Amino acid sequence: MCEELAKHYHAILEGLGEDPQREGLLDTPMRAAKAMQYLCNGYEKNLDEVVNNALFESSSEEMVIVRDIELYSLCEHHLLPFIGKAHVAYIPTGKVIGLSKVARIVDMYARRLQIQENLTRQIADAVMSVTQASGVGVVIEAKHMCMMMRGVEKQNSVMTSSAMLGSFRSSVNTRQEFLQLIRGH
């Protein structure tokens, strides 16, 4: 697959008026193909593999938050990066998920061609599905290169999206506690 992608990058370079045989570009098609495969490796993963049975019995019924999870994704409209952080919270009902698995869930979905709104919901749905929590909240804050490097060229804009499931949707107090805890840092 990498060789096929490299052929396309070679054609893109030619389409831009570049000489793919120029010294600095000789290996660029293959490097770009490998980079794109890495940036989109979320397609090669599934939720069961990512979580890998890392669920543990717990009597805790208090909110668990993993804050400031870096994320790197590609806008499906322009194939340009968006970069930011995710804040993920859930309220356990007998089981907690391994801490690193929350970040791995974020990465699995972020490493696909995306729009931020869908990414936010996919993470929330996945955490809810795995943990069977009474509620899940996800907030993502990201800068989009498609808005910074082209088009309106707004350098300081940040998009914030949220998905609130279960008690995070039905209880104003739960939602407020989550939002205060992620903003209070």
Side-chain angles (χ1 to χ4, degrees), residues 55-61 90-97 131-134:
L55 287 172
F56 307 101
E57 298 288 329
S58 174
S59 60
S60 174
E61 294 178 352
Y90 68 100
I91 298 177
T93 56
K95 293 201 181 279
V96 293
I97 187 172
T131 63
Q132 297 300 301
S134 67

Side-chain angles (χ1 to χ4, degrees), residues 13-29:
L13 290 172
E14 287 179 330
L16 292 172
E18 265 291 357
D19 175 9
Q21 300 309 312
R22 180 167 64 80
E23 180 184 6
L25 295 177
L26 276 175
D27 296 325
T28 296

Side-chain angles (χ1 to χ4, degrees), residues 12-48:
I12 288 169
L13 290 172
E14 287 179 330
L16 292 172
E18 265 291 357
D19 175 9
Q21 300 309 312
R22 180 167 64 80
E23 180 184 6
L25 295 177
L26 276 175
D27 296 325
T28 296
M30 185 56 76
R31 282 193 300 261
K34 288 178 181 177
M36 188 59 80
Q37 279 188 313
Y38 178 78
L39 294 173
C40 293
N41 70 17
Y43 292 117
E44 301 166 7
K45 299 176 181 174
N46 69 57
L47 194 54
D48 290 336

